[in-house]
Amino acid sequence: MIWQPALLSLQVIALASVLILILGLSLGIFLARQRFPGQIFVSTLLNLPLVLPPSVVGYLLLLALGRGSPLKEWFGIDLLFTWQAGAIASAVVALPLMVESTRAAIANVNPELEAAARTLGSPEWEVLWRITIPLAYRGILAGFGLSVARGLGEFGATLMVAGSIPGRTQTLPLAIYDAVQMQRYDLANWMVLIMTGIAFMVLWWVRHIEAHQPQSQRFPDHCHVPGRSHPKTPAPL
């Protein structure tokens, strides 16, 4: 009874994590590197799930995935009341944390280091892969960890688009709610303990990353500028 919603929660957050990583990293890099008209509007729109009630986010997802939506009418894909819909809901509510953390981490990379790689003939994708992301990876990982924790605890939007079907869409937060409604407090206590433990471990990991954040940007050992010879450490006299 406990492990079934726990395993389903892990299944949901696994798919949601892939969506968060791909979309959050791409949007964060784009917003940090590009300047275009309406950028503030786009950034505000992406952050809306952070402040909107989960029921509102769930209702908007119902419109996006349900009857009359392009996904169902044009492609015949019906995701409502499936665990995949729960994964999409978790990804949507957690995505702003990943986007903002990535944007801030990328924006804080010293542009002189990237310019040095460009002067040596590196294309933009190589500068991004070998310079920018290695220097910003701690901020990106911290944002990813917070996003996964937020997505794992998602309740309202998941209930709107996936329902609470035991064995199919009932994740741990939904199972806790049902257990309390049925006054099965012993079961609810165990599931709350599991959720709290997972959340604590994720937050501890994020704090561990932040505590080891370098004070100044420099070339780390794993960051290599193509064509740049790294100075050797002088031998002791």
Side-chain angles (χ1 to χ4, degrees), residues 3-225:
W3 298 112
Q4 192 175 49
L7 292 175
L8 186 58
S9 290
L10 293 178
Q11 184 178 345
V12 167
I13 200 60
L15 178 58
S17 298
V18 174
L19 298 175
I20 291 169
L21 185 62
I22 295 174
L23 295 176
L25 191 60
S26 303
L27 290 170
I29 293 172
F30 179 75
L31 291 175
R33 285 290 178 259
Q34 302 297 322
R35 294 292 179 270
F36 57 91
Q39 185 170 9
I40 295 178
F41 174 80
V42 172
S43 181
T44 304
L45 193 64
L46 290 172
N47 282 304
L48 271 181
L50 275 181
V51 294
L52 284 176
S55 57
V56 175
V57 177
Y59 182 75
L60 294 175
L61 286 175
L62 274 178
L63 297 179
L65 302 177
R67 183 179 300 174
S69 67
L71 188 65
K72 186 169 184 178
E73 299 299 328
W74 297 352
F75 302 103
I77 300 175
D78 188 6
L79 293 177
L80 288 182
F81 302 108
T82 64
W83 70 269
Q84 290 90 346
I88 292 174
S90 295
V92 168
V93 298
L95 189 63
L97 294 173
M98 180 65 181
V99 173
E100 285 304 310
S101 296
T102 302
R103 184 193 61 76
I106 296 292
N108 284 331
V109 172
N110 190 340
E112 293 181 358
L113 302 179
E114 297 171 311
R118 293 190 186 98
T119 58
L120 294 171
S122 298
E124 285 300 323
W125 70 266
E126 195 170 19
V127 173
L128 179 67
W129 181 250
R130 293 191 173 186
I131 304 297
T132 308
I133 290 181
L135 286 171
Y137 83 97
R138 290 182 184 274
I140 295 172
L141 283 180
F144 181 68
L146 289 175
S147 301
V148 170
R150 175 65 185 88
L152 190 63
E154 168 52 29
F155 178 85
T158 303
L159 185 62
M160 293 282 285
V161 298
S164 181
I165 307 172
R168 291 179 56 189
T169 64
Q170 191 179 67
T171 57
L172 268 178
L174 298 173
I176 292 171
Y177 178 78
D178 279 357
V180 173
Q181 291 297 308
M182 293 185 293
Q183 299 185 355
R184 299 187 61 182
Y185 297 111
D186 54 340
L187 183 61
N189 289 338
W190 278 109
M191 289 189 287
V192 166
L193 184 63
I194 293 174
M195 285 293 300
T196 305
I198 294 174
F200 179 85
M201 287 189 292
V202 172
L203 287 179
W204 180 86
W205 179 66
V206 170
R207 293 303 179 194
H208 179 75
I209 291 175
E210 291 176 346
H212 291 80
Q213 184 79 22
Q215 297 299 319
S216 60
Q217 292 175 349
R218 55 183 174 82
F219 284 103
D221 295 338
H222 54 274
C223 179
H224 171 65
V225 178

